[in-house]
Amino acid sequence: MYSKYDITTARYGDVKDRHYHLAILPWGSTEPHNYHLPYCTDMLHAQAVAFEAAEKAAKNGVNCMVLPGIPLGSQNPGQIELPFCIHASQRTQIAVLEDIVESLRKQGINKLLIMNGHGGNNFKGMIRDIVIKYPDFQITMVAWFSILPLKDFFEEKIDDHAGEQETCVMLHYFPELVNLDQAGNGHHNDFKIEGLNNKTAWAPRHWTYTTKDTGVGDPRKANAEKGRKYIEAVMEKIVKFITDFALSHSLY
């Protein structure tokens, strides 16, 4: 579907005479999401949120362009062995991000918002490196899925991967891609060491020992209405941020 906010469908004639306040870069992953959601769920979510935010920000006088999404995320051991799960190293991700920043700078666009859709991605170090190298460039990141407390919208207490939250949002945006009848229960196993479970320390989870269906959290209470209410609340905060970011001369 054509959208003037989507560079994958927009035409040069649409954009050549327009001023753009910032670009939005959806960034997801390619990984299994239980048995009922697509591999690129994180990418689809990030793109859908970015498109809707760009359209709503336009009503505030902000011109955004949503760039082609990056479906390359960081994966855990035990995930990368699963068919068609793709792991992108930090060096690959920083190289991609830096090339995008350099391209935008040459075009006179000096603001970029990363719309992160994958909990395993970590952009803080990469963003620090880029703003040190390009002090005239402003780059920010929104992890749409962690802006608001999940307990205010969803029933499941454990909802980490391909669970109720992600399934509700997918049912809201892309119901035709969800087969809830096939969903596993998302049962997961904790670490044996207490300090890793209570966040005293951190280690990557090994997916082989963590989950059988690749999910963490039961998705079976999901429905589109929960997804709609959640996205409406999230979108209010994202659009406010985009508007402030776009129209401010600096971050301070």
Side-chain angles (χ1 to χ4, degrees), residues 118-156:
H118 176 52
N121 289 340
N122 189 340
F123 294 101
K124 290 182 179 179
M126 291 187 279
I127 291 173
R128 289 189 180 103
D129 287 347
I130 285 175
V131 297
I132 288 173
K133 186 172 182 178
Y134 306 108
D136 61 329
F137 196 90
Q138 297 178 28
I139 181 168
T140 60
M141 187 275 294
V142 166
W144 69 267
F145 51 86
S146 62
I147 293 174
L148 295 174
L150 300 191
K151 64 181 178 60
D152 294 344
F153 300 90
F154 307 110
E155 299 177 56
E156 293 295 327

Side-chain angles (χ1 to χ4, degrees), residues 167-173 175 222-229:
T167 303
C168 285
V169 174
M170 187 62 77
L171 285 167
H172 169 62
Y173 279 126
N223 61 61
E225 181 62 12
K226 289 180 183 177
R228 182 189 65 79
K229 290 180 178 178

Side-chain angles (χ1 to χ4, degrees), residues 214-231:
T214 79
V216 177
D218 195 335
R220 293 175 294 179
K221 293 180 181 177
N223 61 61
E225 181 62 12
K226 289 180 183 177
R228 182 189 65 79
K229 290 180 178 178
Y230 174 68
I231 286 296

Side-chain angles (χ1 to χ4, degrees), residues 15-249:
V15 307
K16 66 183 184 66
D17 297 323
R18 291 175 63 87
H19 166 71
Y20 287 90
H21 293 91
L22 74 152
I24 303 177
L25 178 63
W27 202 307
S29 67
T30 303
E31 61 178 0
H33 272 72
N34 202 313
Y35 301 132
H36 66 294
L37 295 180
Y39 266 70
C40 281
T41 289
D42 293 343
M43 185 74 267
L44 291 168
H45 282 161
Q47 287 178 320
V49 170
F51 293 147
E52 183 174 349
E55 291 176 352
K56 285 181 164 55
K59 298 177 182 178
N60 296 335
V62 172
N63 287 326
C64 304
M65 181 59 77
V66 179
L67 301 177
I70 309 298
L72 301 173
S74 299
Q75 305 297 342
N76 285 320
Q79 283 180 304
I80 190 58
E81 289 82 6
L82 300 174
F84 305 111
C85 183
I86 306 300
H87 171 70
S89 68
Q90 290 287 289
R91 63 181 178 274
T92 297
Q93 294 186 52
I94 186 70
V96 170
L97 184 56
E98 187 169 345
D99 282 352
I100 291 170
V101 168
E102 287 187 347
S103 297
L104 293 174
R105 287 179 71 247
K106 290 177 181 177
Q107 299 152 18
I109 300 169
N110 69 348
K111 292 184 179 182
L112 176 68
L113 169 63
I114 299 173
M115 186 65 69
N116 182 28
H118 176 52
N121 289 340
N122 189 340
F123 294 101
K124 290 182 179 179
M126 291 187 279
I127 291 173
R128 289 189 180 103
D129 287 347
I130 285 175
V131 297
I132 288 173
K133 186 172 182 178
Y134 306 108
D136 61 329
F137 196 90
Q138 297 178 28
I139 181 168
T140 60
M141 187 275 294
V142 166
W144 69 267
F145 51 86
S146 62
I147 293 174
L148 295 174
L150 300 191
K151 64 181 178 60
D152 294 344
F153 300 90
F154 307 110
E155 299 177 56
E156 293 295 327
K157 293 182 179 180
I158 298 173
D159 193 0
D160 190 285
H161 178 70
E164 186 181 3
Q165 178 201 28
E166 285 195 293
T167 303
C168 285
V169 174
M170 187 62 77
L171 285 167
H172 169 62
Y173 279 126
F174 307 102
E176 72 280 6
L177 299 180
V178 181
N179 191 337
L180 204 51
D181 292 339
Q182 292 185 351
N185 63 15
H187 173 76
H188 80 288
N189 297 311
D190 289 333
F191 289 104
K192 291 182 178 179
I193 300 174
E194 181 183 359
L196 292 171
N197 295 319
N198 65 23
K199 311 302 181 184
T200 300
W202 178 87
R205 292 177 294 186
H206 196 297
W207 235 235
T208 301
Y209 307 114
T210 300
T211 171
K212 291 184 178 180
D213 54 29
T214 79
V216 177
D218 195 335
R220 293 175 294 179
K221 293 180 181 177
N223 61 61
E225 181 62 12
K226 289 180 183 177
R228 182 189 65 79
K229 290 180 178 178
Y230 174 68
I231 286 296
E232 283 183 355
V234 168
M235 195 58 58
E236 184 176 345
K237 287 188 170 290
I238 293 176
V239 173
K240 174 66 165 59
F241 172 74
I242 289 175
T243 302
D244 292 344
F245 181 40
L247 300 181
S248 299
H249 293 295

